[in-house]
Amino acid sequence: MTEPALSTTADDTRRATRGDYELEERTSLRRVAGLSTELTDVTEVEYRQLRLERVVLVGVWTEGSSEQARASLTELARLAETAGSQVLDGLVQRRPRPDPATFIGTGKVDELRDAVLSAGADTVICDGELSPGQLRQLEEKLKVKVIDRTALILDIFAQHARSKDGKAQVELAQLSYLLPRLRGWGEALSRQVGGRAAGGVGIGGRGPGETKIELDRRRIRTRMSKLRREISGMKQVRETQRGSRRRHEIPSVAIVGYTNAGKSSLLNSLTGAGVLVEDALFATLDPTTRRTSTSDGRTYTLTDTVGFVRHLPHQLVEAFRSTLEETAGADLLVHVVDASDALPEDQIKAVRQVLVEIGEQNAGTMPQELLVVNKTDAADDLQLARLRHLLPDAVFVSARRGDGVQKLRERIAELLPRPEVDVELLLPYAEGSLVARVHSEGEVLAEEHTPQGTRLHARVGAELATAVLPFALVGMPAEDGAAR
């Protein structure tokens, strides 16, 4: 007996979004556990490709409470799982500061080695950024691959970046991280080369020359310079797009927040964007901008930005500066907080630290912030009561169920900047395009259709006020609100 063929109706096809296709593509191929994760030696240089499988986590608790230390290691476990690994064990050591030689101290390295052997792990992930010396010491003593939190986050970004801009920014961040850690097997990178080995210069090129590692470092610096030029060119394209929106007086709203707080889900609920939604850290990296409107007809844009995390690598902040500038240039920040997280106030603090850094880089102040507590359906009543007391001005929503989304739309409409010029117009019916512009770019207070044309009382921006000046019924008021 043959099985019936699966069929897809037209309605199902229409409901499928770009995010659905991306999620299907991302989950279509999974790693088979137990296969080799040996390092690949490329031109005698260890370009560390993170094919993680069975890992042990280790952290150093230097400050804060034990709950915060556990939360940090739990987040590291989620990052490791997002990268495609299986977490076997997690260890936390209490120290006033990380050991400068081995991160956890010489004595604890032996205990960690025993834990790795008993668990059968092939990788150790440290909850912090390791120096090149710490990385080398740990690998020599543990005899397994060792990576740090920064390398793990960079690997996740490399997996999830899809746009040309995003891929270039991730590669630049990876090269910035790799450059001081470049090394190879034995003395392979220490030999000096000259003559033809130095690039085919022949006679006159022999002599001490450059070591192999110096050649690779120079190539990496050359590649980084090229990537910065490409990213700078892409930045000009975004500046042109933002300039067009500014000319047309279209307000912009940037959605920011901790990774996996539900920013993409919220964008889908507010605009129907259909972007990828997945219960994973850094599921979406490339910013998505969609146009929507308030209940009174004012048009504005919503931009979903890259998520933040505790100890976000500075290489990523530097590489993604052009993308993060969307937040500095917005009229309003919608700061999304995960209500189901054990320490949401720590998430808020981490996001605001990055926002302050972005504001300093752009030599300006950050726009107004609207806190939105998402995932209320996943939090218990006690947690929600605590958050309502802690964040009295926040809007509580569930993007998955739609609870509170309408209230959020109304709150955004209240905080958006309003056009500053009040006008009364009589537009002939032949000027339908101007009527449409007043509706889309301004705020219509009253509208009446008369035999002579459409009579409008509206508030518009300065540019549109100039365009409709020939049709004004009264003297145009100055920008400060006083009549001319």
Side-chain angles (χ1 to χ4, degrees), residues 45-258:
V45 179
E46 184 187 338
Y47 292 102
R48 310 173 63 78
Q49 298 187 9
L50 309 183
R51 296 192 298 273
L52 310 183
E53 287 189 346
R54 301 167 61 84
V55 303
V56 170
L57 312 178
V58 59
V60 174
W61 171 21
T62 59
E63 58 183 5
S65 64
S66 59
E67 185 181 5
Q68 290 174 319
R70 286 195 301 270
S72 182
L73 206 67
T74 301
E75 181 178 89
L76 187 69
R78 293 205 62 197
L79 288 168
E81 291 169 356
T82 301
S85 65
Q86 178 186 3
V87 179
L88 304 177
D89 200 358
L91 309 172
V92 177
Q93 185 197 8
R94 185 74 161 111
R95 292 178 61 92
R97 66 186 61 85
D99 183 73
T102 60
F103 186 66
I104 57 175
T106 305
K108 294 296 180 182
V109 171
D110 296 333
E111 296 181 23
L112 178 59
R113 173 63 177 162
D114 294 339
V116 169
L117 288 174
S118 62
D122 57 10
T123 303
V124 170
I125 305 179
C126 297
D127 191 14
E129 184 167 341
L130 301 180
S131 67
Q134 289 171 328
L135 198 64
R136 182 174 62 253
Q137 288 267 17
L138 283 174
E139 286 200 340
E140 288 178 355
K141 295 178 183 297
L142 298 176
K143 307 301 182 185
V144 294
K145 181 170 59 180
V146 178
I147 64 170
D148 58 16
R149 183 187 183 95
T150 300
L152 179 60
I153 294 175
L154 289 173
D155 181 72
I156 296 172
F157 271 58
Q159 292 182 42
H160 292 176
R162 303 187 64 85
S163 68
K164 181 180 179 182
D165 196 355
K167 290 178 180 178
Q169 291 169 344
V170 170
E171 184 180 356
L172 177 60
Q174 286 181 311
L175 292 177
S176 300
Y177 173 82
L178 174 65
L179 188 58
R181 295 167 176 80
L182 195 63
R183 59 196 179 89
W185 303 107
E187 300 298 321
L189 293 182
S190 300
R191 70 171 186 266
Q192 292 178 328
V193 295
R196 293 179 182 175
V201 295
I203 298 174
R206 297 188 177 94
E210 292 179 295
T211 62
K212 185 67 166 58
I213 197 168
E214 287 170 345
L215 282 170
D216 285 293
R217 282 175 177 162
R218 182 158 52 83
R219 288 168 182 159
I220 287 177
R221 291 190 184 99
T222 301
R223 176 62 179 165
M224 289 172 65
S225 298
K226 181 180 179 183
L227 286 171
R228 288 193 180 99
R229 289 194 298 271
E230 291 179 358
I231 293 172
S232 178
M234 299 171 194
K235 177 183 176 182
Q236 294 299 322
V237 175
R238 283 193 299 273
E239 281 292 336
T240 301
Q241 294 172 343
R242 284 198 291 263
S244 175
R245 293 197 293 266
R246 284 193 293 265
R247 282 196 307 273
H248 291 90
E249 308 282 345
I250 300 177
S252 61
V253 177
I255 304 177
V256 300
Y258 211 78

